[in-house]
Amino acid sequence: MELKRVVVTGLGALTPLGNTVNEYWSNLIAGVSGANLITRFDASKFKTRFACELKNFNVENHIERKDARKMAPYTQYAMVVVKEAIEDSGMNLETINKDRVGVIWGSGIGGLFTFQEECFNYAKGDGTPRFNPFFIPKMIADIASGHISINYGFRGPNYTTVSACASSTNALVDAFTYIRLGKVDMVVSGGSEAAITEAGVGGFNALKALSENNDNFATASRPFDQTRDGFVLGEGAGCIILEEYEHAKARGAKIYCELVGGGMSADAYHITAPHPEGIGATNVMRYALEDANMKAEDIDYINVHGTSTPLGDVQEARAIQNVFGEHAYKLNISSTKSMTGHLLGAAGAIEAIATILAIKNDIVPPTINFTTPDPELDANLNFTFNKAQQRTVRAGISNTFGFGGHNTSAIFKKI
């Protein structure tokens, strides 16, 4: 069968760098750090006392209080970015065929705050089981997609992908597949996460995954720097409206770019560590290129997973060299996690947006906080250190890798 073309027609973002797409992109290009001391709870006894929190965000400016109380923060964030993306897409909610609009969302954890809150409340009580009747519906990882569907009346495929930090890229690739097979006309896709809680920070500290550079928190997320010591936790959401090309043209939609390929693979190695030879990362980029019917030389930019962990950054860089060979030295590579921190299941969504806007605007956001070269990394690779770079970006890959060995890549290109 002839596969349909899939394009991007709307964007929404709620990030530690800004509460709209424009704010997010402006601060990405400016190389702003989103890290600061944690305000959400008293973190003074934690090994890590900083994170990339949302700033100047009040959910009641977006959602009525009575409705917001029925949602965990990760769902609230989802509702905010979906509204922005739908408005950006120019979708006419009165005339669109809602039977052919799906919602495929991603979240690695979901309602962690709600789960923690209910457990805290129970522990403070006398042992009598008193739980909020919305406890389960607020907590479950699929409920964000449910709320989106209910709010807008979208009756197409509706579910949430859960593959740790690869979750929202997984959602985008699934959405891409549904559209190109002709099963739907549009999919509201992306991801959201709200894990800056005592349990979230404490749990990642116990894994020794987080940076503990409390004295230099603003520069603690430093991918590919020899002094990196772990990732910085972030929060927020990103939404991308994916649409069948002819459907978008027929309604006169603005088109950002085309989504042309996706790949998925597994490391099949370890629950938290990447494969030492980068097999999964190598395979997933190759699969994405094959799916897009593209050659390595067609890619100009890679928005890497690049979490600022000692093992992960090296293995991803080696995988890029495995896949791209000599062309690897002509690529721009950057980790926007150096600015946003790691949004876990929402990382793929906001990083796909960064890739899309790099293609649209022909400018590559930087990898900030670099000072010390790592001898394990090839110094001839262009990691776009510390300053954004202008260049023609014909096509870009967005990589996301998750605990459990989950790897997903998406390829976007100019149209």
Side-chain angles (χ1 to χ4, degrees):
M1 64 178 293
E2 183 180 350
L3 296 176
K4 308 287 188 180
R5 295 174 66 186
V6 181
V7 294
V8 174
T9 56
L11 301 175
L14 178 61
T15 79
L17 297 185
N19 299 342
T20 65
V21 170
N22 288 339
E23 289 177 6
Y24 168 53
W25 178 246
S26 295
N27 284 321
L28 272 185
I29 295 306
V32 174
S33 170
N36 214 321
L37 296 175
I38 292 170
T39 63
R40 197 67 47 76
F41 61 91
D42 180 4
S44 60
K45 295 182 180 180
F46 285 72
K47 292 179 181 177
T48 297
R49 298 188 290 277
F50 60 94
C52 289
E53 295 179 326
L54 298 179
K55 303 178 178 65
N56 303 313
F57 175 73
N58 183 347
V59 68
E60 292 182 23
N61 292 335
H62 304 270
I63 305 171
E64 289 190 20
R65 186 179 183 188
K66 65 180 178 61
D67 295 323
R69 291 177 65 186
K70 299 174 185 176
M71 302 175 190
Y74 96 100
T75 300
Q76 296 171 358
Y77 301 167
M79 298 301 286
V80 170
V81 296
V82 167
K83 183 175 186 293
E84 182 184 13
I86 287 176
E87 290 175 355
D88 183 46
S89 76
M91 185 191 312
N92 187 329
L93 293 169
E94 300 300 318
T95 61
I96 205 85
N97 182 355
K98 295 181 179 180
D99 291 336
R100 291 188 58 82
V101 181
V103 181
I104 303 178
W105 207 249
S107 187
I109 300 176
L112 181 62
F113 173 81
T114 296
F115 188 87
Q116 175 187 283
E117 183 179 47
E118 291 296 317
C119 290
F120 280 0
N121 289 339
Y122 177 69
K124 291 174 185 175
D126 60 5
T128 303
R130 296 185 181 91
F131 290 88
N132 190 311
F134 290 103
F135 173 26
I136 301 301
K138 286 172 68 174
M139 177 198 71
I140 51 180
D142 69 295
I143 205 66
S145 66
H147 273 289
I148 296 163
S149 170
I150 292 164
N151 190 65
Y152 293 99
F154 298 144
R155 294 182 291 268
N158 185 282
Y159 62 92
T160 292
T161 55
V162 180
S163 46
C165 308
S167 296
S168 51
T169 309
N170 228 138
L172 290 169
V173 174
D174 279 10
F176 168 61
T177 301
Y178 272 96
I179 296 170
R180 69 173 173 171
L181 291 176
K183 294 182 179 295
V184 289
D185 298 325
M186 307 175 76
V187 178
V188 176
S189 192
S192 54
E193 204 78 272
I196 303 177
T197 67
E198 291 93 329
V201 174
F204 282 115
N205 268 157
L207 273 175
K208 300 189 182 302
L210 295 183
S211 170
E212 298 177 13
N213 194 349
N214 295 293
D215 293 334
N216 301 289
F217 58 80
T219 60
S221 183
R222 47 184 71 172
F224 307 110
D225 190 290
Q226 187 181 21
T227 63
R228 65 192 183 278
D229 70 327
F231 72 80
V232 178
L233 193 58
E235 64 178 353
C239 179
I240 298 172
I241 307 294
L242 296 176
E243 186 168 354
E244 194 273 322
Y245 176 58
E246 295 297 337
H247 186 272
K249 279 206 318 180
R251 68 179 187 88
K254 167 188 62 189
I255 295 175
Y256 283 93
C257 66
E258 185 172 2
L259 175 52
V260 290
M264 300 182 194
S265 76
D267 281 0
Y269 172 71
H270 190 273
I271 58 171
T272 57
H275 194 286
E277 297 174 18
I279 290 175
T282 298
N283 284 344
V284 77
M285 287 185 278
R286 284 181 175 157
Y287 296 159
L289 286 167
E290 290 170 9
D291 191 46
N293 195 27
M294 295 175 76
K295 298 177 182 177
E297 293 75 19
D298 297 326
I299 304 298
D300 293 317
Y301 171 49
I302 302 178
N303 186 298
V304 291
H305 187 57
T307 56
S308 187
T309 56
L311 292 177
D313 290 4
V314 171
Q315 304 314 324
E316 187 171 10
R318 289 176 180 168
I320 289 169
Q321 290 178 290
N322 291 341
V323 174
F324 290 91
E326 286 302 310
H327 185 65
Y329 302 104
K330 299 178 182 178
L331 294 166
N332 270 80
I333 298 164
S334 75
S335 172
T336 47
K337 287 186 180 73
S338 60
M339 295 173 275
T340 65
H342 192 353
L343 271 65
L344 308 179
I350 67 163
E351 289 160 18
I353 291 171
T355 307
I356 290 162
L357 293 176
I359 292 167
K360 179 178 183 290
N361 297 300
D362 286 323
I363 184 168
V364 175
T367 305
I368 67 168
N369 304 326
F370 176 78
T371 58
T372 310
D374 184 341
E376 290 196 63
L377 294 167
D378 190 332
N380 293 311
L381 292 172
N382 182 1
F383 291 104
T384 322
F385 283 132
N386 297 326
K387 188 176 180 180
Q389 292 180 14
Q390 296 273 174
R391 69 166 292 170
T392 299
V393 184
R394 299 166 300 161
I397 296 181
S398 179
N399 282 343
T400 47
F401 311 144
F403 282 176
H406 311 292
N407 309 299
T408 312
S409 296
I411 301 181
F412 300 88
K413 76 171 187 178
K414 284 188 187 300
I415 189 165

